Amino acid sequence: MGIFSVLALPLLLLGISGIIYIYQSVRWLLSKSAVQNKVVVITDAISGLGKECSRVFHAGGARLVLCGRNWEKLEALYDALISVTDPSTTYAPKLILLDITDISCIGDVAKEILNCYGCVDVLINNASMKVKGAVQSISLELDKKIMDANYFGPITLTKAILPNMISRRTGQIVLINSIQGKIGIPFRAAYAASKHAAVGFFDCLRAEMEEFDISVSTVNPTFICSYHRQAAPGNWEASIWK
């Protein structure tokens, strides 16, 4: 009885440690395979944050569809991605020109996106436009352009992709927004207004999509300082700084 009492606690601790180890191992395996073979669309992939998202998803084995306004920068990103990964375990990214402020063309671009693989598993709305200035100095035309880039553009693309996700009853929609979608600060009225509008839309969308098992996430970071330059192959640290 005495020996059993002495050994009981170490054996119990050993058993608990084993369970924790197995749990962590399973989580690690799931995290490594979570995006493998998934079709991931990233808008403004040529921005600092867009490039980092592209790197992570590409390394994880996702089938990337990278969108941006500049074809040369998209090609440079493509070259950087394939130069640092094993082609036997990754997919060559698809490249698509997209100006998120050109609302009339988004429907055609969405069809082009869907034609790449026939579906979209993850849509990352990363494109955005910033403006800084006093309210009275910002023209109404610029206010509308900011709303097109930060609100109407993302929701138009999302609406175009959504039927594909609903029909498959699966998908993940991500809005890369801003802390200014939660608070307002001086000289950012147009930008903050567009970000507040986007938060409101995607919050409502999250509730509506629950019945279809489609996840909707909104990310509201603070300031991100991007170098706005193409990093040398393999030097991803130079591409973005938070």
Side-chain angles (χ1 to χ4, degrees):
M1 186 67 178
I3 296 176
F4 178 78
S5 299
V6 171
L7 294 178
L9 182 58
L11 289 173
L12 179 61
L13 292 175
L14 183 62
I16 293 174
S17 299
I19 293 172
I20 293 174
Y21 175 78
I22 293 171
Y23 172 73
Q24 291 177 337
S25 298
V26 170
R27 285 196 62 186
W28 181 82
L29 289 171
L30 288 174
S31 67
K32 295 293 285 185
S33 61
V35 300
Q36 191 171 15
N37 299 322
K38 299 293 186 181
V39 178
V40 179
V41 178
I42 303 174
T43 65
D44 196 18
I46 56 179
S47 67
L49 185 59
K51 287 186 286 187
E52 283 299 301
C53 289
S54 301
R55 178 186 67 84
V56 172
F57 281 104
H58 182 67
R63 293 180 287 177
L64 284 179
V65 181
L66 305 179
C67 305
R69 298 177 61 180
N70 186 297
W71 186 255
E72 291 182 355
K73 290 183 178 180
L74 281 173
E75 288 185 323
L77 175 58
Y78 175 95
D79 292 339
L81 288 172
I82 64 174
S83 69
V84 295
T85 53
D86 182 355
S88 66
T89 59
T90 57
Y91 295 90
K94 306 286 188 181
L95 307 180
I96 292 180
L97 280 174
L98 170 62
D99 180 357
I100 202 69
T101 64
D102 191 352
I103 307 299
S104 62
C105 293
I106 291 179
D108 291 334
V109 173
K111 292 178 182 177
E112 188 177 352
I113 289 172
L114 289 170
N115 285 337
C116 288
Y117 293 106
C119 67
V120 171
D121 295 302
V122 181
L123 170 62
I124 301 178
N125 288 294
N126 177 57
S128 181
M129 180 179 290
K130 300 177 178 65
V131 65
K132 181 179 180 180
V135 170
Q136 67 273 19
S137 67
I138 303 296
S139 67
L140 186 59
E141 181 181 359
L142 184 53
D143 283 334
K144 291 178 179 178
K145 189 170 185 178
I146 294 297
M147 286 297 293
D148 281 344
N150 298 345
Y151 176 70
F152 287 110
I155 74 166
T156 302
L157 180 60
T158 298
K159 286 186 174 186
I161 299 296
L162 205 53
N164 179 271
M165 291 185 174
I166 291 175
S167 66
R168 297 164 55 236
R169 300 188 70 86
T170 184
Q172 171 85 39
I173 299 170
V174 181
L175 172 69
I176 306 298
N177 206 52
S178 168
I179 190 63
Q180 292 181 60
K182 298 290 187 179
I183 60 174
I185 63 175
F187 307 109
R188 300 280 184 168
Y191 180 74
S194 66
K195 293 299 185 178
H196 273 75
V199 167
F201 178 90
F202 283 91
D203 281 351
C204 293
L205 181 64
R206 181 182 306 112
E208 292 184 25
M209 291 299 105
E210 186 175 357
E211 65 174 296
F212 301 109
D213 294 324
I214 296 171
S215 177
V216 180
S217 305
T218 303
V219 183
N220 296 290
T222 55
F223 295 100
I224 296 177
C225 181
S226 172
Y227 286 98
H228 293 291
R229 72 182 185 208
Q230 180 63 45
N235 183 21
W236 287 97
E237 290 78 5
S239 67
I240 188 170
W241 175 83
K242 291 186 180 181

